[in-house]
Amino acid sequence: MISNWLSAALARRNIHYGWAMVGVTFLTALISAGTVGAPGVFIVPLQKEFGWSTAEISSALSIRFILFGLMAPFAAALLNRYGLRNVTLTSLLVVASGLVASLFMTQIWQLVLLWGVVIGLGTGMTALVLGATIAARWFSARRGLVVGILTASVATGQLVFLPLLASLTESLGWRTALVLICVMLAVAASAVLLVMRDRPGDLRLRPFGDEGTGPLPAPPPNTAPIAAAAFGALRDAAKTKVYWILFATFFICGASTNGLVQVHLIPMCLDFGIPQVQAAGLLAAMGIFDFVGTIASGWLSDRYDNRWLLFWYYGLRGLSLLFLPFTDFSFYALSLFAMFYGLDWIATVPPTVRLAAQKFGPERANLVFGWIFAGHQLGAGVAAFGAGLSRTVLESYLPAFFVAGALCVVAALIILAIARPVKVAAAA
């Protein structure tokens, strides 16, 4: 198999196969996230072709965000039950099928079904939980850095493809851009099939940083019902204050990033006379700064109090969102916003993952984080629809940015309610 050959080749260079897992997961998350971010480019072309309102299109995107989040805790259970490669390949197949079918849609209910339900469920089968699982299974050391790298791929993928997709949409139509996304998904599926393995023991390895001898034995087959595992983790976590604080702050995180800026920044820039390709380039610049900021956040989360890191992340993000409506939307002002906001786009994930692991233990961390991430996507869904409604009813996106900025300030304050001496829970 390709994975055995690659493992031997990497071993000769003293490189652990875990880094190949990071590479293939990074590529997959990058392309999958580009699929999630692409509809922001298509809002205006869909309005022109079909006459759908911003609120109608936003309702489909809102459903996608919510299902993407609600699938996260079940994604963790699916990964534990059926393996990383099988679940990831199924996820890519479902998403690609939904996109291919959407090439022929003509009614708003078809947009809701395909871009809302099908793509929401498909992307939610892995969500951010895949990266957290890779870090936990394949790494005993540098887990924070790995989570940072894989989290950065998610947010960056939502942004870096946008200039290319915007250019294709403007010159050749939105269907051509959609075909390109399908081709990229096929590339990602091929890489997963050839490289991804479930556990280090599959290749007779131990996790990176584990100094033990001999491969770890395979765990017993997981026959627990998917729903029982997911809801059991929620039942226990919901009894704690830490869970609700992390859920609430991550709800605000989703409302102030994916649901607002990712979906509505491009059409808002068009309201101010900024061309679509230039607006997409602004989001791409955010993606570049986000890549740096999120990896740095992973490094910092291994070394500093995660509560205070989140305090500064949410506080500075809130100030940047409150600042944007007061600018003149010039190139200088938007560039400053892109740099400042981009560094903070999804830097909140590594500290949130670590706080969840500290409180709930390594065995249940991915399940509990799945429910916390569900809060993130619920916030994204509310913001995606709310901002679209604001544009339709009030003819302006600015009220949505004011509300999101204020909520970030609230998140910065309530995160400090988590007690500092968080003890690591015993493994279940």
Side-chain angles (χ1 to χ4, degrees):
M1 293 179 65
I2 295 294
S3 55
N4 292 323
W5 173 85
L6 181 59
S7 176
L10 292 173
R12 287 194 294 269
R13 293 168 174 77
N14 201 29
I15 300 174
H16 193 275
Y17 195 83
W19 295 109
M21 290 291 295
V22 171
V24 70
T25 307
F26 183 94
L27 174 66
T28 303
L30 191 77
I31 294 173
S32 298
T35 303
V36 176
V41 174
F42 301 146
I43 289 178
V44 174
L46 290 175
Q47 288 175 327
K48 292 180 178 178
E49 180 171 339
F50 300 111
W52 300 333
S53 71
T54 304
E56 287 176 322
I57 298 172
S58 297
S59 66
L61 305 184
S62 177
I63 291 170
R64 185 200 64 193
F65 280 129
I66 292 172
L67 289 177
F68 180 61
L70 291 178
M71 275 294 293
F74 302 98
L78 285 170
L79 291 168
N80 292 344
R81 176 76 175 272
Y82 296 109
L84 307 182
R85 182 166 60 177
N86 291 337
V87 174
T88 303
L89 284 173
T90 303
S91 169
L92 293 170
L93 177 62
V94 171
V95 172
S97 300
L99 291 178
V100 170
S102 69
L103 292 171
F104 308 99
M105 64 184 178
T106 57
Q107 303 293 324
I108 188 65
W109 69 265
Q110 295 168 339
L111 177 75
V112 172
L113 174 63
L114 296 172
W115 286 17
V117 177
V118 175
I119 295 178
L121 292 175
T123 53
M125 290 178 68
T126 53
L128 290 182
V129 177
L130 176 61
T133 306
I134 294 290
R137 289 188 184 181
W138 285 83
F139 291 83
S140 292
R142 301 185 184 176
R143 283 180 178 171
L145 177 62
V146 171
V147 171
I149 292 172
L150 296 181
T151 302
S153 71
V154 173
T156 302
Q158 293 170 354
L159 304 175
V160 295
F161 289 119
L162 291 183
L164 175 60
L165 297 177
S167 179
L168 283 174
T169 300
E170 193 171 85
S171 58
L172 300 175
W174 62 272
R175 290 179 177 82
T176 302
L178 213 56
V179 169
L180 175 62
I181 294 174
C182 293
V183 172
M184 293 190 297
L185 287 170
V187 171
S190 301
V192 169
L193 182 64
L194 295 175
V195 177
M196 185 171 283
R197 301 297 295 269
D198 292 333
R199 299 176 183 276
D202 295 345
L203 297 172
R204 303 187 61 78
L205 297 173
R206 295 183 74 89
F208 177 85
D210 189 323
E211 300 299 332
T213 57
L216 294 175
N222 188 337
T223 58
I226 300 299
F231 284 110
L234 174 63
R235 181 191 63 243
D236 296 338
K239 299 174 183 178
T240 68
K241 180 179 73 172
V242 172
Y243 169 78
W244 289 111
I245 292 174
L246 294 178
F247 184 92
T249 54
F250 234 40
F251 178 96
I252 294 171
C253 180
S256 57
T257 54
N258 301 62
L260 180 64
V261 173
Q262 176 192 319
V263 173
H264 293 290
L265 184 63
I266 291 178
M268 185 180 75
C269 286
L270 290 174
D271 288 346
F272 287 88
I274 299 170
Q276 177 163 291
V277 175
Q278 184 178 336
L282 183 67
L283 282 173
M286 290 182 186
I288 295 172
F289 285 111
D290 163 74
F291 184 78
V292 175
T294 306
I295 293 177
S297 176
W299 184 86
L300 291 170
S301 68
D302 286 331
R303 291 162 174 79
Y304 298 102
D305 188 336
N306 290 272
R307 301 172 312 128
W308 282 103
L309 290 177
L310 290 173
F311 170 82
W312 286 108
Y313 295 161
Y314 284 119
L316 293 174
R317 182 189 298 173
L319 293 177
S320 68
L321 289 171
L322 292 171
F323 159 79
L324 182 63
F326 291 104
T327 68
D328 55 1
F329 283 82
S330 64
F331 176 79
Y332 173 77
L334 289 175
S335 298
L336 184 64
F337 172 76
M339 179 182 69
F340 195 77
Y341 181 90
L343 287 170
D344 194 9
W345 176 278
I346 203 166
T348 53
V349 174
T352 302
V353 171
R354 285 186 61 85
L355 286 172
Q358 288 170 357
K359 175 62 180 177
F360 303 105
E363 295 300 323
R364 307 194 85 185
N366 65 344
L367 289 167
V368 176
F369 178 70
W371 287 109
I372 294 170
F373 183 69
H376 184 280
Q377 295 306 111
L378 286 172
V382 170
F385 178 73
L389 188 64
S390 173
R391 175 63 179 83
T392 300
V393 176
L394 304 177
E395 299 185 350
S396 174
Y397 282 113
L398 297 185
F401 278 80
F402 282 122
V403 171
L407 286 174
C408 286
V409 175
V410 172
L413 297 175
I414 65 175
I415 196 65
L416 296 180
I418 297 177
R420 182 174 183 178
V422 182
K423 296 182 179 180
V424 178

